[in-house]
Amino acid sequence: ATLRDLETETSDQSLISLQATPYQSDMLDWNVSVGWLSRAADTTSPGIVIFGTPAVPPSLGSTEFDRIDADTYLAGQTSVEAGDGINLNYIIGANWSREDGVSAGEFDFGVPVPDLFELERDTLGVYAEAELDLSKRASATVGIRYDDFDSESKTTTKADFVYRFGNDKTEASAHFSQGFKLPSFFALGSTLVGNPDLVPEESEHYSIALNHDVSERFTVGGTLFKNEFENLIEFAAALFTNVNLSTVDVQGREIEATALPLDPLSGSV
């Protein structure tokens, strides 16, 4: 057997994050945050040989990536005196990000074959979420988000409902949410497995749950869930590259029991 060289990578990364609360009161907070990430890496891969036959050629890769994030939001609360009273907690905000990256590589097919990928992407998002205590036993949460990127846009929503029964020991809940995720710079531009033709992932999540406090130290519960994905990004070993899977559905159930036999000791199954 012949021992082959291992893949090696050297990298440098810098990260700065700042947060501030310019205004704060009993009913309203204004929060602002900014962040900056910079990463540079050099990778050397000896390639992959299967049963003596080269399957993936040796390669060299160099990447530089910078990302700036800015986020601001208002978080407040109010109440309406009607019946048991309605309490409202809300968040309204916006965020922006800019990504700049370059991936320059070279494959060795006996002769060097260059590979180059460049990314310049701005993403602007606005969002709002409200949590309402409809009564002493019922609460609901609704949210919406709008993202604009690369001359395209996407709107996603979420909703939750929780009801606590009269004995205060049993709780039922329902959840729905939509998800959306842009391909990462690595997934798009990696010299070895990147695919610049990837499209964003989309998903929908559904669940219902029931939990019951048998005693102060023992709780049981169950959840039914279903997750639907479109264009899920995965690594395809047969093609040795990242690909979008057209549709992926995951559904199932979970049963959980949690016990607190002693104050410093807890366990769940």
Side-chain angles (χ1 to χ4, degrees), residues 111-163:
V111 294
V113 178
D115 176 71
L116 178 65
F117 175 78
E118 295 179 299
L119 174 70
E120 294 183 4
R121 183 166 67 190
D122 288 333
T123 305
L124 175 65
V126 292
Y127 56 91
E129 183 173 314
E131 180 183 357
L132 299 92
D133 292 327
L134 303 174
S135 68
K136 293 181 180 180
R137 303 196 179 281
S139 63
T141 302
V142 293
I144 187 169
R145 179 182 177 91
Y146 173 83
D147 287 286
D148 183 270
F149 60 96
D150 294 341
S151 302
E152 299 183 47
S153 63
K154 183 66 178 178
T155 300
T156 52
T157 59
K158 64 174 291 185
D160 294 282
F161 181 77
V162 178
Y163 183 81

Side-chain angles (χ1 to χ4, degrees), residues 4 17 54 99 119 124 126 131 135 144 169 203 220 238 241 269:
R4 296 180 56 81
S17 179
E99 298 169 280
L119 174 70
L124 175 65
V126 292
E131 180 183 357
S135 68
I144 187 169
K169 294 183 178 181
S203 60
V220 295
T241 188
V269 292

